[in-house]
Amino acid sequence: MTGVRVSSELVRAVGQSGFKGTPRRLLREARRYPLGAFGFTVIGLVVLMALLAQLLAPYAPLKVATGLSLDGPSAQHLLGTDQLGRDLLSRLIYGARVSIYVGFIAVGVGASIGVPIGLISGFYGGFVDGILMRIVDAIIAFPALVLALGMVATFGGGIEVVMIAIGVAIMPQYARIVRAQVLGVKNADYILAARTVGAGGARILVRHIAPNVWAPVLVVATLGLANAVVAEASLSFLGIGVKPPQPTWGNMLLDGFGQMQRRPAMAIAPGVAIFLLVLAFNFVGDTLRDALDPRLRGSR
Amino acid sequence: MNSSNRYRQAAGRGLTRRGLLSRSALAGVGVAGAALVGCGGDDDSSSNKVDINDQPTATPRPAVAFKRGGKHVSVWETEPSGTLDPHMVKPGFVAPPAIGVFNGFIRQDFEDLGKIIGELASSWEQPDPTTFVFKLRSGVKFHDGTDYNAEIAKWNAERITSSGYFMEGKYTGSAAGIIKIETPDLLTIKFTFDKPKVDSIEAFYFSGGSGLSGAVSRKAAEAAGKDFWKNPVGTGPYKLKSWDFGSKILFERNPDYYEQIKGEKLPFVDEWEFIALPDPAVRVINVKSGKVSSTKIEPDQVADVESSSIYVVKGGPEPLQIYPNHQSGIFKDARIRRALAYAIDREAVAKTVFFGQAQPNAGIPKRSKWADPSYTGFPYDPKRAKDEMTAAGFPNGFEFEVMVLPTGARTKAVEFMQAQVAPLGIKIKILPMESSAYVDRLFLRVEGDSFFALTGTLGLNETGGFEANAAPTPARKQNPNDPKMIAMIDKIKSTFDANARKPLIWEAQKYYFNELVALVPVVDSFRPHAVRAEWQGFAMVAPDTFYPDFRQVRLKA
Amino acid sequence: MLVYIVRRLLQALPVLFFVSVAVFSMVQLLPGDPVRSLIPVGDQTVDPAAYEEAVQRVRHQYGLDQPPPVQYLRWLGRASRGDLGTSIATRQQVSDMIRHRLPVTITLGLMSALISVCIAIPAGVIAAVNRNSWQDVSATVFSLTTVAMPGFWLGMLLILVFVVWLGWLPGPGSYVRMWDDPVEGFKLSILPAVALSGFSTAALMRLTRSSMLEVLAQDFVRTARAKGLAEHTVVLRHALRNAALPVITFMGLQAIFVFSGSVIIERLFAIPGVGSMAIDAIFTRDFPVIQGFVLVTATVVVVINVAVDIIYGIANPLIRVGRS
């Protein structure tokens, strides 16, 4: 949220510079930003894993087997088995699906609520701005986990509720940052020009302002993806995340906890998976921030 | 024990037959010791006597000398909330500390559920079906020094029946319906009920929660008023020393406690502390490091914890069953319920999910005095399951949802069953819910198909827990509404001869489980407790309560 | 200036209003009746009429039989006078419970803020000064490590390492407060504080790094360098001072995060703070406690953020004038 204040200049600069060369520029930057490149690669791999789960996983993730509980890693089961005899590696691979799915939908929900609020609030200002921002502040002040717990308790557990709960909780970030962007760009020359020509408010909003706010939104979104993955794990730890028997990395962490000393693979594997994915999202987010901040481009 | 027109039960009877207990010089105290050894006089049960050097229900060990003193740290899952006023009923954590601080007239023998041990009452009888007479132990004092006698007992009984739950509203416990309490002398108290009570001795049993006979000091209660719940004064083996709300609660030994075993005064331990540790992995870490002396553990942690410094005690059994919705939905049809019962491989569940810390459920656990020893429960028979399903019109399977507490072995059990019954076409949908949520949905709004949890009381309750689940009640609207079952229960409740009642109960049990399929049985799980090896005498109290009896816990010498 | 302060304070009120409405509505929507779920099952069979009566009486006592808007207003009215009601599960005064537990959570939050600051600021400075070098990368990775692990996992690992393997610290449970026994309290608080600090460390590091980068690119820094000042003087004396502002904003973030993150950490480490109280309350549908918890923590968060904004406003007049 502080990034907002600090980069008010950024906003102006970004608005003026336009975005035509950005994708090509980003690729060039990949070499200059090793962390970002690493991050992209990891994300790509996880997405692939999620999509190709059926091909990659040696066993069905839900297949229970009596007598095989809590076996250590072996030739047949590379990571061992869980309490019900299910193969951990397969569950890990399928778990990627949930992480990706939950992450993207939650961020999607958050952005699709937050961005319009930010746009309207910043552009129209005044009373509307006041009310909307107070509501946003209220959501920020409301402890996120309690909000999620409450929603899950009300609507029942399940992947959809979890995603929406996380999305609502992170929505304020988008609202705030978009609003700051809008405020910065509102009085720019080309906007004034559009107004003189007679373009109405909504038109200006959509055609001229909105395209210029996506950069910080993208940064926040990638970090939001990281947070969503962690949030899902936290809810699973409390036992109210995604419904069983669906494997998620959060579920697997919970199962593995009690066995940490005897079967460390059970807890470490999903933990490492979450760790890498979240790290990757963070790297990418940081890289985007660096790359899209034009003022820093000069000082190398 | 003869049982003609009068139903009698006298604990004191058993005493004189036992040569061992000729130390009746310590009259009241000796009776306590005898009571511990066995009572009721129905059978000579010398094989069940509690030897001070044994560890009941634990891995058998040679008798070991003991020493007094020490501090035992035990664990509960969530914060020690609730009240320590035994008349303000609150389920949850309260019971274990409450039974440390208070006594009632009688309690259940944790070794043999059929046995009743006298606490504040040294003997009792039921001269006619509406009357109970208790002879009280003499010389018992409260922690604040005031005397316990029949007047105080009467005051206590009035305190709970007049105030009821939350200290307001009418008392609805199993001792409702008392119309008269008399105290012919300072050590005798007589209760008269409005209706004949069949073996409602259970109403006077004190297990920490409700129950007519929990005794609080009148002087302390009147002085503390609304704050009594945090400053409890009782007659029990422990006194409350300090209470850090949300975190821990500490008790210290009551040096004047009346009870003895074989001449040894109870309790042995100087201090007993309960701390809140919600996370199961942390509990194991703490018992291994010695910070905690005993703790409940999950079945999958047993192998991890057993070592030369820690042993595992089994509690329970805790019957876990699927409670179906009898009023609406797929389970309205008894054939579907039976199909599910046949479709579950209980052996596999016990072996895999509970790591052997469970046994297939076959009706009322055998430890209960009402268990029919010949009843074997539902076999695992997928073919019969399919037949029942087909007869009900679902040859290719059916779908239903199960609500379950989100953590621990229960969710895993349902997951396992889910995978197990899938080949038959039965699709289980799991809904993790905390208890209040599913109570609301299933019990009150009669929505949803089923939930998976443990059965209610099993011990002294006459009908073996039937009543709670056999007919609709305001708090269990999803129960079956079967005239035949209700008729059987009524018949049991109006038969005063214990011997005549038993076959009725067995018949009812068979009907309840096989025909009515009021519940779909799964397994009885033993609640394993990990105990550090320097402690002995650690035993679990009655199977429906699962907390240790800390009267006898002591250090090895 | 005064206008600005007053304006910020006034803006805080509707926020609290919205929060109170939100939590009240949420609680109304929660399924599950705390009263019924508190009465033991067995006794419910005996006398249905008496049971119903008992339930109704308790519901009346808690005002649960009134229509929701009435309940809301009564609650709000009492809350403004400091009476947050009585907990249904524990029968204690909610305000007592919170008063008892809030200091514990706040202590934890402060400890973790301190840890974050000690790790993140040096890391951020180093990263900014040596942009894209190995120092930057390793500082980034190091501080991101703590955020990339879910707090409870980090907590569990810390327990494994420091309690089980090394035995340096006592296991969780039987919490001792810092002001009762500083040594023991510190031993029991250090691991949860570290686990809690994960997210904030990364946020602060990123913040420090980007502000430092901005400041370092400024003209006055170039001037200082041109004047011949040693690099570290430039960094420490000039740049750092200007980049300090975000740290204050960070405090606002920290306040928000502490109450949310502490829910899980307190559960894992068996710490009797407001977080564990909130979780138990949600699971037992203890309305008054949930409402009280959210209201109090939101108030704390809002107050801290207003203070942060005011400080920020004093430091940077541009903010006061019109933006965000």
Side-chain angles (χ1 to χ4, degrees), chain A residues 227-239:
Chain A
N227 289 335
V229 173
V230 174
E232 184 274 316
S234 305
L235 288 176
S236 295
F237 178 70
L238 293 173

Side-chain angles (χ1 to χ4, degrees), chain B residues 74-381:
Chain B
S74 192
V75 162
W76 210 256
E77 288 152 58
T78 54
E79 66 151 295
S81 65
T83 84
L84 279 181
D85 182 341
H87 300 152
M88 279 174 70
V89 179
K90 189 114 337 147
F93 178 68
V94 195
I99 62 170
V101 177
F102 302 102
N103 295 109
F105 291 158
I106 51 177
R107 70 167 186 262
Q108 200 174 17
D109 183 334
F110 52 84
E111 282 295 282
D112 180 346
L113 301 185
K115 292 228 160 64
I116 297 175
I117 295 173
E119 290 197 328
L120 296 174
S122 52
S123 70
W124 55 90
E125 52 180 35
Q126 191 177 9
D128 63 73
T130 59
T131 318
F132 287 85
V133 179
F134 292 89
K135 285 256 182 287
L136 302 177
R137 193 181 303 284
S138 70
V140 176
K141 285 193 186 290
F142 286 98
H143 300 150
D144 60 2
T146 55
D147 287 325
Y148 177 74
N149 55 38
E151 286 299 315
I152 298 286
K154 179 173 176 201
W155 180 85
N156 269 286
E158 284 168 347
R159 186 172 186 255
I160 190 173
T161 51
S162 58
S163 45
Y165 292 103
F166 311 103
M167 303 299 268
E168 58 280 299
K170 234 159 60 176
Y171 175 69
T172 59
S174 44
I178 291 182
I179 49 177
K180 203 167 38 165
I181 307 176
E182 294 162 283
T183 57
D185 60 64
L186 267 188
L187 287 181
T188 312
I189 185 167
K190 183 168 150 193
F191 294 90
T192 309
F193 285 87
D194 56 353
K195 295 196 281 265
K197 288 281 190 181
V198 170
D199 197 34
S200 249
I201 199 74
E202 167 216 338
F204 300 98
Y205 165 68
F206 182 69
S207 58
S210 64
L212 198 54
S213 59
V216 314
S217 154
R218 178 174 184 171
K219 178 168 161 221
E222 284 173 344
K226 277 214 176 294
D227 280 346
F228 181 74
W229 64 272
K230 21 183 191 179
N231 301 294
V233 176
T235 56
Y238 292 93
K239 305 191 243 196
L240 177 67
K241 190 166 173 192
S242 68
W243 189 348
D244 183 354
F245 294 107
S247 180
K248 55 192 178 226
I249 188 167
L250 179 64
F251 297 93
E252 61 181 357
R253 191 172 74 96
N254 173 15
D256 302 315
Y257 184 55
Y258 74 87
E259 197 171 344
Q260 295 188 0
I261 299 183
K262 295 182 104 178
E264 293 288 345
K265 257 190 124 175
L266 301 183
F268 302 100
V269 169
D270 282 338
E271 283 185 321
W272 192 294
E273 188 175 37
F274 284 92
I275 62 178
L277 283 184
D279 188 75
V282 170
R283 295 200 281 267
V284 165
I285 287 177
N286 278 343
V287 75
K288 282 183 171 181
S289 72
K291 180 165 179 173
V292 151
S293 324
S294 66
T295 169
K296 163 186 181 274
I297 56 176
E298 297 294 312
D300 58 2
Q301 294 171 320
V302 171
D304 187 25
V305 130
E306 273 180 327
S307 70
S308 53
S309 49
I310 298 178
Y311 65 95
V312 172
V313 174
K314 284 190 200 177
E318 169 186 42
L320 288 164
Q321 333 220 331
I322 297 179
Y323 289 64
N325 181 347
H326 291 263
Q327 301 297 330
S328 64
I330 189 106
F331 283 120
K332 259 180 96 168
D333 189 338
R335 291 169 295 196
I336 295 286
R337 304 197 289 271
R338 264 200 294 277
L340 184 61
Y342 282 122
I344 298 175
D345 183 355
R346 284 167 260 280
E347 281 282 353
V349 174
K351 192 167 147 213
T352 313
V353 179
F354 292 90
F355 293 83
Q357 300 289 321
Q359 67 193 16
N361 175 286
I364 305 175
K366 298 291 177 279
R367 279 184 66 183
S368 164
K369 69 175 175 176
W370 303 116
D372 178 352
S374 67
Y375 180 71
T376 50
F378 274 93
Y380 170 49
D381 194 336

Side-chain angles (χ1 to χ4, degrees), chain C residues 259-311:
Chain C
F259 290 114
S260 191
S262 71
V263 169
I264 290 197
I265 300 286
E266 284 180 14
R267 187 147 238 256
L268 178 63
F269 285 91
I271 293 177
V274 286
S276 52
M277 176 186 84
I279 256 200
D280 288 335
I282 292 184
F283 284 165
T284 54
R285 305 289 185 262
D286 198 343
F287 304 141
V289 175
I290 301 175
Q291 285 164 198
F293 166 75
V294 172
L295 200 61
V296 168
T297 53
T299 309
V300 171
V301 164
V302 165
V303 163
I304 292 182
N305 276 288
V306 166
V308 163
D309 279 349
I310 291 176
I311 296 176

